[in-house]
Amino acid sequence: MSTRETRTTTLFLADDDESVRRTLTEFFGRCPGYRVVGTASDGAAAVEGCRRLRPDAALLDLQMPVLSGTGAARLILEAGYAKCVVMLTAFSDRDSVQEALAAGAFGYLTKPFEPDRILPALEVCLSRSREYHLLRKERRNLDRRLGEREAVDRAKLLLMEERGMTEEEAYRYIRELSRRKNLSMARVARYLTEALGGEA
C-alpha cells in the first residue's frame, strides 16, 4: 500500500437528494486525502454499498426511503461495514441530534452545508471513531488477559489442593511447562485444570 493510500479517507455518501450527493462528491473531490467510493439514495442501498466497499466513514441522511439513516447506521456499525458514521440532517434540534447519536453516529452535519465546517466536523467524528475503536481493542485485550489470568489462578489452586504445592511452586510449575511445551501459560493452565478434574 502506498503512502498516499494510507492517508486517504474513503467515504460513502447516502442521501435521497441527488443534489446533496453531487455537492458532497464534488466537495470531497477537491479535498486532498478524501475519496468518495460510493453513493446511495436510500438506507438499504447504503448498507449494501458499505458492505461491499468498506469505507472509512459513511455519511448518511437522517431521513431516507426504504430504510432510515438511523436504521442504516445501526446495521453498518453493528456489522463493521464502516469505522465511522456521520449523520446528515436538515434539522439541528435536540431530538434529531439525539436520534443520530443514539444510532451510533460519531457526529452530524447540518444541511445546508457550510463548506468550511464540513472537514473540521468530519475530522472530529473520525477522531472520536478512532478513539472508540482503540478503546474497544484495549477492552478485548484486557478481557483476554483477564481470562488467561483466571485460567492460571484456577490451575494454581488445583495444583495446591491436589499436589500440595505452594502458590509459588504451582506458578513455577505452570511457567516451566509452558516454556518446555512452547505453549501459553493460559493454555497449559487449561490442560492442567482438565487433567486434574476441575472445571475448564
Side-chain angles (χ1 to χ4, degrees):
M1 190 179 283
S2 75
T3 307
R4 185 178 179 279
E5 287 175 328
T6 46
R7 281 185 294 193
T8 298
T9 300
T10 56
L11 306 171
F12 190 95
L13 309 176
D15 197 299
D16 57 340
D17 185 337
E18 195 274 332
S19 67
V20 169
R21 296 194 308 272
R22 185 177 62 249
T23 298
L24 286 174
T25 300
E26 289 171 358
F27 173 81
F28 287 114
R30 295 189 300 271
C31 298
Y34 294 90
R35 183 165 53 94
V36 174
V37 293
T39 63
S41 59
D42 67 69
V47 173
E48 175 56 24
C50 288
R51 184 192 68 75
R52 283 186 303 101
L53 299 166
R54 304 294 171 117
D56 294 314
L59 282 69
L60 310 174
D61 186 25
L62 197 60
Q63 304 293 330
M64 286 190 287
V66 185
L67 179 65
S68 71
T70 53
R74 282 191 183 95
L75 292 172
I76 288 166
L77 291 169
E78 284 171 9
Y81 295 158
K83 297 175 190 143
C84 175
V85 167
V86 178
M87 302 306 291
L88 310 175
T89 178
F91 312 99
S92 57
D93 62 280
R94 184 174 179 172
D95 288 343
S96 297
V97 171
Q98 288 303 316
E99 186 181 352
L101 298 177
F106 289 93
Y108 67 97
L109 292 169
T110 307
K111 297 185 266 186
F113 305 117
E114 296 175 40
D116 59 334
R117 295 188 66 188
I118 294 174
L119 289 182
L122 181 57
E123 282 302 322
V124 166
C125 296
L126 288 165
S127 176
R128 285 180 184 158
S129 169
R130 283 189 287 272
E131 288 173 14
Y132 170 77
H133 290 291
L134 184 62
L135 285 172
R136 278 189 68 184
K137 184 178 179 182
E138 287 175 1
R139 170 69 191 267
R140 284 194 302 269
N141 288 339
L142 282 172
D143 288 346
R144 179 182 49 78
R145 287 202 301 269
L146 181 60
E148 290 174 354
R149 172 76 184 262
E150 287 173 353
V152 171
D153 285 347
R154 197 163 40 247
K156 281 194 313 188
L157 186 61
L158 282 168
L159 286 167
M160 290 162 66
E161 290 173 353
E162 298 293 323
R163 299 193 182 172
M165 293 180 175
T166 65
E167 183 177 359
E168 181 60 31
E169 288 170 337
Y171 179 79
R172 282 201 308 262
Y173 180 76
I174 295 167
R175 188 178 61 196
E176 181 59 24
L177 269 179
S178 167
R179 188 187 64 74
R180 283 202 327 251
K181 301 289 186 186
N182 199 23
L183 296 170
S184 71
M185 285 183 66
R187 181 171 281 185
V188 168
R190 289 187 188 102
Y191 286 141
L192 285 171
T193 301
E194 211 172 284
L196 294 170
E199 292 182 3

